[in-house]
Amino acid sequence: MIRYFFKIIFGGLTTVAVGIILADLGLRAYSAFSPKLADFDLSTMAAAASSVITKPTDGTSISGLKRTVLYSASEEEDLINAAALALPSRLVKDVTAVAYLVRNTENGQIVAGQNPDKLVPIASLTKLVTAAVADRLIEDDKTIKISGEVMKIYGNTGQFKVGETVRARDLYFPLLMVSSNDAAESLARSYGRRQFIQAMNDFVQSIGAYRTTFVDPSGLSADNRSTVNDLAMILEWIRLNKPEIMEITKLKTKTVRTHTWVNPSHFLSWSNYEGGKNGYTDEANRTAVALFAMGKEKIIYEIIILGSKVRDADMVKLLAKIKS
């Protein structure tokens, strides 16, 4: 009996010792790999955020240019809060953007801002003005031929071919959904490139965005420059006067004849997302403008980001500031 007693005691101690060793190895492994969490991108963050919602991860449905909201206001708050908490710790502290602005469109209150008048390249945010000016100058049914000169320009996200003909109204989809430089140049050249760019500059001057200048219709040039204050004016004008432009930016996909364009925005499944546009060039870094309907009252907030290192993470952090 004594022999069996010691066997039991010895076996128990051995089990405890093994457990302690395994726990120690687990902690060491976590310490070794945890810094790599900072490398997770927004898809990881969004997956973590979506786990809070019991409904499908896609909180909206789209038919044509209409969006059906499924999430409640409280669920939207949970989604934003969860996304903020899911950010890697080293990204939570500071917004990386050189300049940014968060503005309540109902009362004009600035919730957060930095360098509001700093003049910097804006990249493809240019295309919002391209769309607004093209809508004024070019008939929707005008047939536009995709030229060889256009196809030589950097980037072919529109997936056009030389000699292809497209109606002007159909060019807005690749222009705004996949940031097609081909679409921007085709619209401008169909009117007269120099005159079109002059019209872009005249337009922003007419609405009070006095520091904004354009030298091309796509945003490839670093000389397309603006400030977050000016971009807030431009975004507000489009929101109030040409809401169909923002509606296009909310589409997930659009098919026109043999072309299907897929919007890459990470925020399309957020039911409070009211549209926006991203941009990137080496000189501008990552840029963005976006509209979000916040709270039970669905108050529209504008968020403008220029010169960001991690655009989507910055957007989430600025959204979280609205709640604070």
Side-chain angles (χ1 to χ4, degrees):
M1 290 297 292
I2 293 175
R3 183 176 57 186
Y4 289 120
F5 173 77
F6 281 108
K7 281 185 178 180
I8 292 170
I9 294 297
F10 179 76
L13 290 173
T14 301
T15 301
V16 171
V18 170
I20 292 171
I21 291 169
L22 290 175
D24 180 67
L25 288 174
L27 287 172
R28 289 175 185 272
Y30 176 79
S31 298
F33 290 103
S34 60
K36 295 184 180 179
L37 292 175
D39 295 330
F40 285 0
D41 60 16
L42 187 77
S43 61
T44 303
M45 179 185 71
S50 65
S51 66
V52 175
I53 307 301
T54 56
K55 291 188 174 73
T57 55
D58 179 1
T60 64
S61 62
I62 298 175
S63 176
L65 296 181
K66 294 184 179 179
R67 192 177 189 82
T68 302
V69 176
L70 301 180
Y71 292 147
S72 68
S74 61
E75 287 171 327
E76 288 164 0
E77 290 180 16
D78 287 343
L79 183 65
I80 294 166
N81 290 335
L85 290 172
L87 287 171
S89 59
R90 76 176 183 183
L91 299 181
V92 173
K93 295 179 182 179
D94 301 309
V95 175
T96 69
V98 169
Y100 60 84
L101 188 72
V102 182
R103 176 179 173 270
N104 180 327
T105 64
E106 187 170 282
N107 58 22
Q109 179 187 5
I110 304 301
V111 175
Q114 176 173 282
N115 295 326
D117 294 312
K118 186 176 180 65
L119 196 61
V120 294
I122 62 172
S124 285
L125 302 188
T126 295
K127 293 182 175 79
L128 290 171
V129 175
T130 303
V133 171
D135 182 73
R136 286 180 161 191
L137 301 180
I138 303 170
E139 293 292 330
D140 278 351
D141 287 327
K142 182 175 181 177
T143 299
I144 297 175
K145 188 175 182 178
I146 307 298
S147 69
E149 290 78 13
V150 164
M151 294 300 294
K152 291 177 184 177
I153 294 168
Y154 175 78
N156 184 23
T157 55
Q159 295 296 306
F160 296 114
K161 296 178 180 178
V162 174
E164 182 178 354
T165 58
V166 188
R167 289 178 302 183
R169 66 167 173 262
D170 291 332
L171 285 172
Y172 295 121
F173 298 108
L175 178 76
L176 297 169
M177 292 174 65
V178 296
S179 207
S180 168
N181 296 329
D182 302 336
E185 284 288 345
S186 294
L187 286 165
R189 292 174 190 234
S190 74
Y191 183 78
R193 191 176 190 273
R194 183 180 61 79
Q195 297 92 327
F196 188 91
I197 293 169
Q198 183 59 53
M200 291 173 68
N201 286 298
D202 291 343
F203 165 70
V204 292
Q205 290 289 310
S206 72
I207 66 172
Y210 300 122
R211 303 194 67 197
T212 302
T213 54
F214 301 104
V215 301
D216 73 30
S218 67
L220 281 175
S221 173
D223 291 327
N224 282 21
R225 300 167 73 86
S226 188
T227 69
V228 291
N229 271 343
D230 274 15
L231 287 168
M233 293 182 199
I234 294 167
L235 187 60
E236 183 69 354
W237 188 93
I238 291 172
R239 182 179 77 87
L240 296 177
N241 297 282
K242 288 294 175 183
E244 59 269 28
I245 289 176
M246 301 311 295
E247 288 296 323
I248 289 174
T249 70
K250 294 195 291 181
L251 292 175
K252 290 184 176 181
T253 64
K254 177 67 179 181
T255 299
V256 176
R257 294 187 300 184
T258 60
H259 296 287
T260 296
W261 300 292
V262 180
N263 194 331
S265 173
H266 289 112
F267 294 101
L268 288 174
S269 291
W270 292 31
S271 63
N272 62 345
Y273 180 66
E274 295 296 320
K277 182 78 184 71
N278 293 339
Y280 173 80
T281 62
D282 289 342
E283 297 86 355
N285 212 333
R286 289 154 181 82
T287 64
V289 299
L291 300 172
F292 288 88
M294 305 297 287
K296 294 179 180 179
E297 297 81 11
K298 297 295 180 184
I299 295 172
I300 302 296
Y301 284 81
E302 298 169 341
I303 301 182
I304 297 96
I305 293 172
L306 296 176
S308 171
K309 296 177 182 178
V310 279
R311 176 178 49 220
D312 290 331
D314 281 351
M315 187 71 73
V316 171
K317 284 181 280 187
L318 290 173
L319 276 168
K321 287 181 182 291
I322 295 172
K323 300 298 179 183
S324 60

